[in-house]
């Protein structure tokens, strides 16, 4: 096995006993990038020289006994998470490329812990797509099948994780943007309790979290990045739960029908049902539940985000507005048809989602569902529906937890007949982030070799 494929937990143990150096590891990671990046297009602002220099500095800290919690571990950060000196294009050619003045809180925590941030990762247009389609970045593809999307909006992070560009990748999530690509790429992707990881520029639904090959690495990344930061008024203290779960008597709600959106593929339903059976065999009590959200809730969400995006795009100078992806421009073109009452009602539906989810947790400890109703769709499509008028038909399983702020993580539940990963989602009560990851660790069903060549 290449050093690039080792987990962060394994690398830290080897750095500690001196059997491997961070310099050797970053060399292997960069070799992997050189071999696969021309096809995957997962990275933005790759900095090989800076990475090698940082690895040498980490090597010295290990010798001196001053190494941090992630010292020498290769890490990527999604391009919309600011890193000092690098522009933040947000996946669109319409953005002015102004270098960021400082690291965002998550990136700062990673650097303080000694992580080697060797590259940013790609995202689609304004992060408003569950694909890698962008007017700024090259089209990001899924390492399991280059004809398929890696998902989005943390497209590059998921592709990099599946391809073995090091063990830890950091993304953002406002409706499923960590969990959808993680599910489609076979990764553990955590959207934590909102505020657990400070985002720096908070707004409705937005969270930052890790995408990794193992739950243990996700828990390690969470421990480093979490905590209060004065730049984010929503930020909260680190998690107080532990990386453990008691399965006997665990009350699990099985949600196989979102009640709205695309129908669930039978292969997806079967894989998630098999996950439920595994929990039952371990002593959990599993009960099917009815859909949590409604058509009105999902459409209301669409109306709110449509007008928000239309307002942002309308504020751009005409020459920059023309550079926005045509599918996004088509989506927002109908925003003027919405009344003030429509928009207020749409905003209220986000609270309605949160209320509906919270009600389920008065009875159950976990909500188990598919991450997405389908497996990865063709890479060139902006939306799985290929219809800008119906952009959110695939997020009905993921978006409720953005609105309710509950932590939710993914775990691989198996593979389709075509060899594509199928993700299961585990949502848990507020502040039980590590509990969710422990459950994912118990359920990990990743029985195939990673696509690293």
């Amino acid at each position: 096995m290449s050093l690039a494929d080792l987990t962060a937990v394994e690398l830290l143990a080897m750095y500690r006993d001196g059997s491997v150096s961070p310099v050797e590891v970053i060399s292997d990671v960069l070799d992997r990038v050189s071999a696969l990046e021309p096809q995957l297009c997962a990275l933005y602002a790759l900095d090989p020289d800076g990475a090698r220099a940082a690895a040498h500095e980490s090597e010295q800290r290990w010798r001196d006994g001053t190494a941090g919690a992630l010292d020498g571990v290769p890490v990527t950060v999604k391009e919309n998470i600011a890193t000092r000196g690098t522009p933040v294009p947000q996946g669109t050619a319409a953005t002015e490329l102004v270098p960021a003045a400082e690291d965002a809180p998550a990136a700062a925590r990673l650097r303080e812990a000694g992580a080697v941030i060797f590259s940013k990762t790609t995202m689609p247009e304004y992060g408003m797509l569950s694909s890698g389609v962008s007017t700024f970045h090259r089209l990001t593809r899924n390492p399991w099948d280059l004809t398929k999307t890696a998902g989005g909006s943390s497209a590059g992070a998921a592709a990099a994780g599946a391809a073995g560009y090091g063990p830890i990748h950091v993304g953002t999530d406002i409706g499923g943007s960590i969990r959808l690509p993680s599910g489609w790429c076979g990764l553990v992707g955590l959207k934590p309790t909102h505020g657990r990881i400070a985002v720096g520029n908070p707004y409705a639904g937005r969270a930052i979290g890790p995408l990794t090959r193992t739950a243990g690495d996700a828990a390690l990344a969470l421990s480093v990045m979490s905590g209060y930061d004065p730049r984010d008024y929503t930020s909260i203290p680190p998690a107080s739960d532990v990386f453990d779960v008691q399965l006997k008597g665990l009350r699990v709600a099985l949600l196989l029908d979102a009640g709205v959106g695309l129908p669930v593929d039978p292969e997806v339903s079967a894989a998630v049902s098999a996950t439920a059976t595994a929990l039952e065999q371990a002593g959990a009590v599993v009960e099917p539940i009815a859909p949590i959200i409604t058509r009105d809730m999902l459409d209301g969400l669409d109306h709110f985000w449509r007008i928000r995006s239309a307002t942002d795009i309308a504020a751009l100078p005409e020459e920059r507005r023309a550079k926005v992806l045509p599918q996004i421009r088509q989506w927002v073109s109908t925003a003027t048809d919405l009344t003030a009452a429509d928009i207020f009602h749409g905003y209220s539906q986000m609270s309605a989602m949160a209320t509906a989810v919270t009600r389920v947790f008065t009875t159950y400890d976990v909500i188990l569902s598919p991450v997405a109703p389908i497996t990865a769709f063709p890479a060139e499509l902006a939306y799985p529906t290929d219809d800008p008028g119906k952009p959110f038909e695939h997020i009905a399983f993921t978006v409720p937890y953005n609105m309710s702020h509950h932590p939710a993580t993914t775990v691989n539940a198996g593979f389709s007949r075509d060899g594509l990963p199928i993700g299961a989602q585990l949502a848990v009560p507020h502040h039980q982030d590590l509990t969710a990851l422990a459950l994912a660790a118990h359920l990990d069903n990743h029985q195939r070799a990673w696509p690293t060549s």
Side-chain angles (χ1 to χ4, degrees), residues 37 106 130 174 181 187 267 301 354 373 394 405-406:
E37 186 58 9
S130 296
I174 61 171
L187 302 171
E267 287 188 293
L301 179 93
H394 59 294
H405 297 187
H406 288 92

Side-chain angles (χ1 to χ4, degrees), residues 97-302:
L97 298 181
V98 179
E102 62 179 1
D103 285 343
R109 292 279 172 90
L110 290 167
R111 287 199 207 277
E112 289 164 6
V116 177
I117 302 176
F118 68 95
S119 185
K120 308 294 289 289
T121 51
T122 61
M123 61 183 284
E125 202 83 358
Y126 289 116
M128 292 304 296
L129 306 175
S130 296
S131 70
V133 177
S134 164
T135 55
F136 182 84
H137 302 294
R138 295 178 298 162
L139 178 62
T140 303
R141 297 180 179 274
N142 192 320
W144 293 96
D145 182 342
L146 294 177
T147 70
K148 303 297 184 181
T149 184
S153 63
S154 302
Y165 290 8
I168 293 176
H169 309 273
V170 183
T172 63
D173 192 317
I174 61 171
S177 289
I178 288 171
R179 289 158 291 154
L180 289 164
S182 292
W184 285 327
C185 288
L187 302 171
V188 172
L190 174 70
K191 182 203 74 65
T193 299
H194 284 235
R196 182 69 68 210
I197 299 174
V199 299
N201 54 336
Y203 54 82
R206 188 168 191 248
I208 289 176
L211 298 85
T212 61
R213 289 184 175 184
T214 68
D217 276 2
L220 177 60
L222 177 68
S223 71
V224 167
M225 291 187 289
S226 64
Y228 174 75
D229 189 288
R231 291 174 287 177
D232 182 351
Y233 65 87
T234 70
S235 62
I236 58 178
S240 58
D241 60 332
V242 295
F243 188 56
D244 186 29
V245 63
Q246 298 300 315
L247 295 173
K248 187 172 178 58
L250 191 74
R251 300 168 299 169
V252 179
L254 177 60
L255 179 65
L256 292 177
D257 177 11
V260 62
L262 295 174
V264 179
D265 186 287
E267 287 188 293
V268 172
S269 183
V272 176
S273 295
T275 301
T277 299
L279 287 173
E280 281 188 310
Q281 292 172 343
V285 178
V286 179
E287 297 177 356
I289 62 168
I292 297 174
I293 68 170
T294 65
R295 179 83 256 173
D296 195 34
M297 291 178 189
L298 192 63
D299 287 347
L301 179 93
D302 182 354

